[in-house]
Amino acid sequence: MGFDVTEYTTVLITLIVIMDPPGQIPIFLSLVGHQTPAERHRAAWQAPAISFLVISTFALGGKFILSYLHIGVPALQGAGGLLLLLVALQLLTGQGNASSPKAADGVNVALVPLGTPLLAGPGAIAAVIVAVSQADGHGAAYVAIAAAIVTVHLVLALVLRFSTVLIRILGVGGVTLVAKIAGLLLAAIAVQLIANSIMGFIDAR
């Protein structure tokens, strides 16, 4: 079957930029900072676990969803590109972190809002569905996509687990800088998706 290194690298970088592990640190600390160390550690693996479950579900059922709703890959690329562009603009302007999301009373913050929609948001879901759709039955590409999904969630778990250490190393300015760089890269990915969407519609005519 083999392993598609290029596909793995592309999907991994895309998901890391979209899900922005360093940018999740302030939000994570604001939601669990008042809890005990054991509760923080539990939330650090529960949130990526929920995100992994959600994204894996869409990765497995994405083609069925597209077929059932009669949506073509170019349309999904265009929609995904626009969604990613909105997220990129929020990262670049700082509007995404203007206020910390609050959890509802009695709700485990690792599930909502951390696991979804902060980690498994529309941008990450759209990116995974597009990647699986473009794999077009190649087993090596499917294995690479699965490995990338697992890797990014391991990175998220490690970042959240050691967030209190990372926030001291990076500082607020460092996390902000990383978020700005991620926003720039994400904007480029969004533009490429939109361009691919336009080319797809042209080729289909």
Side-chain angles (χ1 to χ4, degrees):
M1 182 182 299
F3 185 83
D4 192 334
V5 177
T6 301
E7 183 72 15
Y8 170 78
T9 304
T10 301
V11 176
L12 178 62
I13 293 176
T14 300
L15 288 179
I16 286 180
V17 170
I18 294 172
M19 301 175 85
D20 187 22
Q24 302 298 336
I25 294 174
I27 300 174
F28 177 75
L29 293 179
S30 69
L31 290 173
V32 303
H34 64 285
Q35 298 179 352
T36 65
E39 291 173 331
R40 289 199 299 268
H41 296 165
R42 184 165 58 251
W45 68 261
Q46 283 181 338
I50 293 300
S51 174
F52 176 78
L53 179 62
V54 172
I55 289 182
S56 296
T57 299
F58 277 95
L60 293 173
K63 294 186 71 173
F64 171 77
I65 295 173
L66 291 179
S67 176
Y68 180 77
L69 297 177
H70 304 289
I71 298 174
V73 172
L76 186 62
Q77 287 177 320
L82 291 175
L83 285 173
L84 298 188
L85 188 58
L86 290 175
V87 175
L89 291 175
Q90 288 180 345
L91 288 174
L92 289 171
T93 60
Q95 294 177 359
N97 295 327
S99 60
S100 298
K102 303 299 181 183
D105 293 338
V107 176
N108 185 352
V109 296
L111 308 181
V112 179
L114 282 174
T116 181
L118 286 177
L119 297 182
I125 291 172
V128 168
I129 293 179
V130 169
V132 172
S133 299
Q134 291 178 330
D136 196 25
H138 294 92
Y142 290 140
V143 172
I145 293 170
I149 293 174
V150 171
T151 302
V152 73
H153 284 91
L154 288 176
V155 171
L156 283 166
L158 288 173
V159 168
L160 295 183
R161 171 64 178 79
F162 297 102
S163 59
T164 53
V165 177
L166 291 174
I167 199 68
R168 287 198 297 267
I169 295 175
L170 295 176
V172 176
V175 172
T176 302
L177 176 61
V178 171
K180 299 297 183 184
I181 296 174
L184 180 60
L185 294 174
L186 187 56
I189 293 173
V191 171
Q192 185 62 57
L193 272 176
I194 294 173
N196 292 342
S197 172
I198 294 173
M199 293 303 299
F201 280 119
I202 293 175
D203 293 339
R205 295 188 61 180

